[in-house]
């Protein structure tokens, strides 16, 4: 679908960095992988903005782990498989739920302060979990985890954390095909660098920015997934996108997440007529799986003509609510919302992509030397629909596994400087004249609008065909690729948008995060399988 390289370049003339491990991304998966990889050698972590700019930092609800005596990894496995709607890899899920508790306790040892209730952990409840098993730090769990991991990585002599370095492409050794590094852009100077490493880990996060309305940070543009695809990696499950049911719906505010934990603490969903509608849709009502709740909200919004529903916490103790959700309270107030009535206007927004770079349970992609973890990767633990608060856990468990696999390679093969190509061909000869930033902004905006309107929560074949045509037209209108962050992000979103739409068109059934109004039933006979794309 896309050219293998964004533009031509003389690579051997560029300044270069070297490390045993190159890790791209500073969310939980990348930082925990770095913390683990340092046992095996030097680690260079690159992040495209500040270390804190990640989806991890914004995670509210928490991290799921079966740590209570009344719980067990088996119950956690059952809930994860149920949410995944028949497409989870049970072996990967078993690893997640059995290794998860020990990894979470490592976070505690690193200084992460999860909330406690006396001597026990204060565990939260979220949709489709049959037990309280969510460790949290009020409603700023991700921020607390990121704080501890960034501090740990900054103080470790073997880890170098560099901010403002943007991944352009992964680089492969011409002779062996092994991934031996990456081409990156220094966003301060606009210059290119080559980073060489024996093990390269893509921990670049998701692509929520594919959609006009998203809870994700601006950096979530799927860079690692698109770059891996250009390099020849397999992508899987791209049609499965999770829309979080409750993002703040105020015209002057971003789609700030209102954590599912709010419903876990007993808040109701009501349409603008005041009806508690979830009772009509699912036996678990407000705590039904996210896809069910998001579609129910869309239907109620259509029925009432409003572009939001209400999250009603008026029956809950106001002081306890404020103490449990200080971040939500503060942010709603900051956008001028009067919380005295106990109502928050909410609507669904893109939140998480279940698909990504296909990995095995050791974190390996199909490209030797390239590993992936976190939201950029698809390990098979989420299937068609991720269980709430399993993503931070996946970042930990599979971040550690990717580091261990890379470490084993280093121990066996010894320290080797990869032989990267001296130059590469591309679609253009490298026209470095900068196209106006607004050109790329327009492409990005168009992709996000098309995806939201035609490939969103409720899909139809007709709308998906229109989306595909619109995205193809945008692709054809790109005159040449220029090496700026805005250009590469726009091209990355366009690539992933086209793959998502293509997969959604092919999958003629409804399952988990993928709902087709023209094929509303789940078809286990034909569709208990995955769609994989490769250049
Ligand atoms: C939330 O707090 O609702 C988000 C948790 C998650 O996405 O796992």
């Amino acid at each position: 679908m896309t050219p293998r390289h964004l533009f031509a370049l003389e690579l051997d003339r560029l300044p270069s960095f070297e490390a045993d491990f190159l890790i791209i991304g500073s969310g939980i998966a990348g930082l925990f992988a770095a913390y683990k990889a340092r046992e095996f050698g030097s680690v260079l972590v690159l992040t495209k903005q500040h270390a804190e700019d990640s989806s991890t930092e914004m995670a509210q609800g928490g991290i799921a782990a079966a740590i209570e005596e009344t719980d067990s990894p088996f119950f956690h496995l059952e809930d994860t498989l149920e949410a995944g709607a028949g497409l989870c890899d049970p072996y990967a899920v078993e690893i997640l739920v059995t290794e998860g508790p020990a990894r979470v306790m490592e976070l505690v040892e690193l200084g992460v302060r999860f909330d406690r209730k006396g001597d026990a952990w204060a565990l939260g409840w979220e949709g489709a979990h049959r037990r309280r098993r969510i460790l949290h730090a009020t409603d700023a769990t991700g921020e607390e985890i990121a704080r501890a991991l960034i501090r740990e990585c900054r103080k470790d002599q073997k880890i170098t954390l560099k901010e403002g370095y943007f991944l352009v492409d992964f680089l492969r050794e011409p002779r062996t095909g092994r991934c031996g590094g990456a081409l990156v852009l220094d966003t301060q100077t606009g210059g290119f660098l080559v980073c060489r490493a024996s093990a390269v880990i893509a921990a670049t996060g998701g692509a929520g920015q594919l959609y006009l309305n998203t809870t994700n940070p601006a950096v979530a543009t799927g860079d690692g997934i698109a770059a891996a695809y250009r390099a020849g990696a397999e992508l899987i499950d791209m049609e499965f996108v999770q829309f979080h049911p409750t993002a703040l719906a105020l015209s002057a505010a971003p789609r700030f997440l209102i954590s599912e934990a709010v419903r876990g603490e007993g808040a109701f969903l009501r349409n603008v007529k005041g009806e508690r509608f979830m009772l009509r849709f699912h036996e678990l009502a407000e705590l039904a799986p996210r896809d069910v709740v998001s579609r129910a909200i869309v239907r109620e919004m259509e029925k009432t003509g409003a572009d939001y529903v209400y999250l009603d916490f008026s029956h809950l103790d106001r002081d306890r609510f404020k103490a449990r959700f200080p971040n939500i309270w503060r942010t709603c107030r900051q956008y001028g919302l009067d919380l005295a009535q106990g109502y928050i206007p909410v609507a669904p927004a893109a939140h998480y992509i279940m698909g990504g770079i296909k990995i095995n349970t050791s974190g390996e992609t199909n490209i030797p030397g390239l590993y992936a973890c976190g939201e950029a990767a698809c390990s098979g633990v989420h299937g068609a629909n991720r269980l709430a608060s399993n993503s931070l856990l996946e970042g930990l468990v599979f971040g550690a596994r990717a580091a261990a696999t890379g470490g084993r390679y280093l121990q066996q093969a010894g320290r080797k400087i990869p032989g990267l190509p001296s130059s590469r061909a591309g679609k253009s000869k490298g026209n470095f004249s900068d196209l106006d930033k607004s050109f790329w902004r327009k492409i990005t905006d168009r992709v996000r609008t098309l995806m939201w309107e035609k490939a969103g929560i409720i899909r139809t074949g007709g709308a998906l065909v229109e989306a595909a045509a619109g995205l193809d037209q945008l692709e054809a209108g790109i005159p040449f690729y220029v090496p700026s962050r805005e250009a590469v992000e726009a091209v990355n979103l366009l690539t992933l948008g086209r793959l998502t739409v293509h997969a959604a068109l092919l999958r003629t059934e409804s399952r988990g995060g993928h709902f087709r109004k023209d094929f509303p039933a789940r078809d286990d006979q034909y569709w208990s399988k995955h769609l994989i794309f490769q250049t």
Side-chain angles (χ1 to χ4, degrees):
M1 268 189 179
T2 46
R4 286 175 82 85
H5 294 136
L6 294 181
F7 47 85
L9 206 58
E10 299 296 322
L11 295 173
D12 56 1
R13 299 215 179 144
L14 299 177
S16 69
F17 289 141
E18 254 170 49
D20 294 323
F21 284 85
L22 170 63
I23 299 180
I24 308 191
S26 61
I28 189 169
L31 295 176
F32 199 68
Y35 165 68
K36 290 290 192 181
R38 83 200 194 296
E39 291 167 27
F40 302 100
S42 60
V43 184
L44 174 60
V45 181
L46 301 182
T47 187
K48 75 172 169 180
Q49 226 162 266
H50 297 113
E52 290 80 8
D53 293 312
S54 69
S55 295
T56 296
E57 179 81 17
M58 295 173 86
Q60 295 180 6
I63 183 159
I67 53 162
E68 272 280 281
E69 269 173 28
T70 53
D71 199 358
S72 91
F74 179 73
F75 296 146
H76 190 185
L77 175 129
E78 278 190 327
D79 291 349
T80 302
L81 293 181
E82 175 75 23
L87 283 191
C88 294
D89 172 351
Y91 178 56
V93 179
E94 192 184 324
I95 288 171
L96 179 81
V97 298
T98 52
E99 294 183 5
R103 298 291 87 77
V104 170
M105 287 308 127
E106 283 187 70
L107 283 185
V108 174
E109 279 158 27
L110 284 174
V112 174
R113 298 164 300 200
F114 292 118
D115 292 346
R116 300 193 69 100
K117 202 172 176 184
D119 287 342
W121 298 110
L123 297 177
W125 204 324
E126 290 180 5
H129 285 272
R130 276 173 293 173
R131 280 181 168 65
R132 281 192 176 267
R133 64 165 70 97
I134 320 293
L135 287 123
H136 53 80
T138 67
D139 57 352
T141 312
E143 195 181 318
E144 172 63 9
I145 293 173
R147 179 195 62 76
L149 286 176
I150 292 170
R151 188 194 51 197
E152 191 63 28
C153 288
R154 284 211 166 111
K155 77 172 193 224
D156 198 297
Q157 300 280 313
K158 282 184 139 177
I159 303 175
T160 309
L161 173 57
K162 283 184 172 286
E163 299 177 308
Y165 287 87
F166 175 60
L167 167 71
V168 177
D169 271 320
F170 293 112
L171 300 173
R172 298 178 69 171
E173 282 184 325
R175 196 174 49 82
T176 60
R178 188 177 170 85
C179 180
L183 174 68
V184 299
L185 180 69
D186 177 341
T187 59
Q188 295 294 313
T189 64
F192 287 102
L193 297 139
V194 166
C195 296
R196 294 166 195 273
S198 301
V200 180
I201 302 182
T204 41
Q209 290 298 329
L210 263 179
Y211 288 89
L212 192 59
N213 294 309
T214 178
T215 60
N216 285 193
V219 291
T221 49
D223 308 317
I225 309 173
Y229 179 67
R230 284 193 290 275
E234 292 175 334
L235 305 190
I236 185 169
D237 287 350
M238 293 302 290
E239 65 275 38
F240 296 111
V241 177
Q242 183 170 79
F243 293 85
H244 197 290
T246 57
L248 183 62
L250 286 176
S251 51
R255 285 290 197 255
F256 174 74
L257 180 69
I258 308 294
S259 176
E260 187 151 325
V262 172
R263 279 171 284 136
E265 294 301 328
F268 299 141
L269 283 166
R270 295 191 188 278
N271 64 21
V272 289
K273 292 181 182 161
E275 295 160 354
R276 193 180 158 207
F277 56 89
M278 275 315 298
L279 296 167
R280 280 190 268 118
F281 287 94
H282 199 280
E283 56 184 12
L284 292 174
E286 280 81 3
L287 291 179
R290 282 185 184 169
D291 60 308
V292 176
V293 183
S294 289
R295 281 196 300 278
I297 292 176
V298 169
R299 288 195 179 119
E300 292 303 305
M301 294 193 314
E302 278 168 6
K303 203 173 86 182
T304 59
D307 43 18
Y308 55 87
V309 296
Y310 286 116
L311 197 53
D312 167 15
F313 63 96
S314 59
H315 52 292
L316 304 180
D317 181 300
R318 218 52 59 87
D319 290 335
R320 275 186 56 194
F321 185 94
K322 201 170 155 185
R324 171 72 177 85
F325 302 110
N327 185 27
I328 292 176
W329 190 275
R330 203 173 37 247
T331 307
C332 288
R333 292 287 296 273
Q334 179 190 323
Y335 289 106
L337 193 66
D338 174 12
L339 293 170
Q341 304 302 316
Y343 274 62
I344 302 175
V346 292
H351 184 59
Y352 190 88
I353 58 164
M354 268 70 76
I357 309 166
K358 184 174 181 298
I359 55 165
N360 61 17
T361 50
S362 302
E364 293 167 305
T365 71
N366 61 304
I367 299 178
L370 180 64
Y371 309 87
C373 52
E375 193 175 347
C378 181
S379 63
V381 297
H382 305 312
N385 197 18
R386 176 176 65 87
L387 184 66
S389 287
N390 265 357
S391 51
L392 292 177
L393 191 69
E394 189 203 20
L396 280 185
V397 169
F398 288 89
R401 284 184 156 250
T405 312
R408 274 196 300 277
Y409 171 79
L410 267 163
Q411 284 170 339
Q412 281 156 16
R415 210 151 264 132
K416 271 197 204 147
I417 309 296
L420 296 179
S422 58
S423 66
R424 59 181 212 172
K427 190 169 174 173
S428 78
K429 288 242 164 54
N431 188 336
F432 284 62
S433 67
D434 215 334
L435 266 186
D436 185 23
K437 276 187 182 162
S438 68
F439 173 85
W440 299 107
R441 167 70 32 219
K442 272 190 213 139
I443 301 231
T444 298
D445 288 350
R446 189 73 194 121
V447 172
R448 301 180 72 212
T449 305
L450 275 171
M451 293 298 290
W452 181 255
E453 288 175 355
K454 308 212 178 276
I457 301 169
I458 297 180
R459 301 166 170 173
T460 64
L464 288 168
V465 167
E466 284 170 29
L471 296 173
D472 286 352
Q473 203 181 354
L474 286 178
E475 171 81 22
I478 292 182
F480 52 86
Y481 298 125
V482 288
S484 68
R485 173 176 160 180
E486 292 76 16
V488 177
E489 284 181 338
V491 171
N492 289 344
L493 287 174
L494 188 49
T495 302
L496 299 186
R498 293 174 83 207
L499 291 172
T500 302
V501 167
H502 193 44
L505 258 174
L506 288 174
R507 186 173 282 276
T508 47
E509 65 150 2
S510 291
R511 180 192 296 266
H514 168 69
F515 185 83
R516 290 273 303 254
K517 206 172 168 182
D518 44 352
F519 293 96
R522 174 169 149 180
D523 177 358
D524 276 334
Q525 219 175 346
Y526 186 72
W527 276 114
S528 290
K529 57 187 165 200
H530 301 270
L531 292 167
I532 297 175
F533 296 98
Q534 191 179 19
T535 48

